[in-house]
């Protein structure tokens, strides 16, 4: 299930031909602009909506989108493309009923020189939730 949710998010991002998307790893020699995506998941407690078998059925996935550019303007441009690709979109995952993707959190742009190349990294966190269809 985790991979299905990650695939849905990554597919939405990769549908933008002007957006370079990296899934958890930036290959050597990659140049900004790009978005580096880390996916995390959870099975939240549903106190008022348990199934009769008491199984967790709701699945939450967070996409941590590192929007990377050579400067703040470029990082914001990547962030805008990511927002356009994800925000309020209801993806299709076989066997699941999904809610629209929401922006959950974010961090301001930060300058990063750790690789020897100056880049600006702006992080936005998006949430995708689903239940069995």
């Amino acid at each position: 299930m985790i991979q299905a949710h990650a695939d849905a998010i990554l597919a939405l991002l990769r549908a933008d031909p002007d957006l370079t998307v990296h899934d958890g790893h930036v290959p050597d020699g990659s140049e900004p602009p790009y978005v580096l995506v880390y996916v995390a998941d959870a099975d939240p407690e549903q106190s008022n909506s348990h199934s009769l078998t008491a199984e967790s059925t709701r699945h939450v996935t967070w996409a941590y989108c590192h929007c990377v550019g050579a400067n703040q303007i470029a990082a914001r441009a990547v962030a805008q493309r990511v927002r356009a690709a994800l925000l309020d979109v209801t993806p299709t995952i076989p066997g699941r009923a999904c809610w629209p993707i929401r922006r959950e959190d974010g961090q301001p742009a930060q300058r990063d020189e750790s690789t020897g190349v100056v880049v600006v990294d702006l992080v936005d966190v998006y949430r995708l939730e689903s239940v069995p269809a």
Side-chain angles (χ1 to χ4, degrees):
M1 185 171 351
I2 298 167
Q3 191 60 50
H5 286 72
D7 288 345
I9 291 166
L10 293 166
L12 290 170
L13 292 168
R14 289 180 174 141
D16 180 341
D18 295 323
L19 188 60
T20 301
V21 180
H22 297 297
D23 179 10
H25 172 74
V26 178
D28 291 340
S30 295
E31 298 280 329
Y34 57 81
V35 60
L36 171 62
V37 182
Y38 294 101
V39 175
D41 73 301
D43 295 316
E45 185 67 27
Q46 299 178 70
S47 59
N48 61 352
S49 60
H50 277 295
S51 67
L52 294 176
T53 61
E55 295 176 2
S56 297
T57 58
R58 177 176 275 175
H59 189 82
V60 179
T61 301
W62 291 279
Y64 294 80
C65 299
H66 291 257
C67 303
V68 178
N71 55 46
Q72 285 196 50
I73 294 170
R76 284 191 299 261
V78 172
Q80 182 58 43
R81 296 195 88 81
V82 169
R83 181 182 183 91
L86 297 179
L87 188 63
D88 298 328
V89 174
T90 304
T92 300
I93 299 175
R96 305 293 294 177
C98 298
W99 280 274
I101 295 172
R102 300 294 187 220
R103 184 175 178 277
E104 185 88 351
D105 199 1
Q107 297 175 1
Q110 295 184 6
R111 183 181 172 100
D112 182 357
E113 299 177 38
S114 64
T115 62
V117 177
V118 176
V119 295
V120 174
D121 180 7
L122 186 156
V123 181
D124 283 323
V125 183
Y126 290 89
R127 181 186 78 244
L128 168 58
E129 292 187 55
S130 73
V131 293

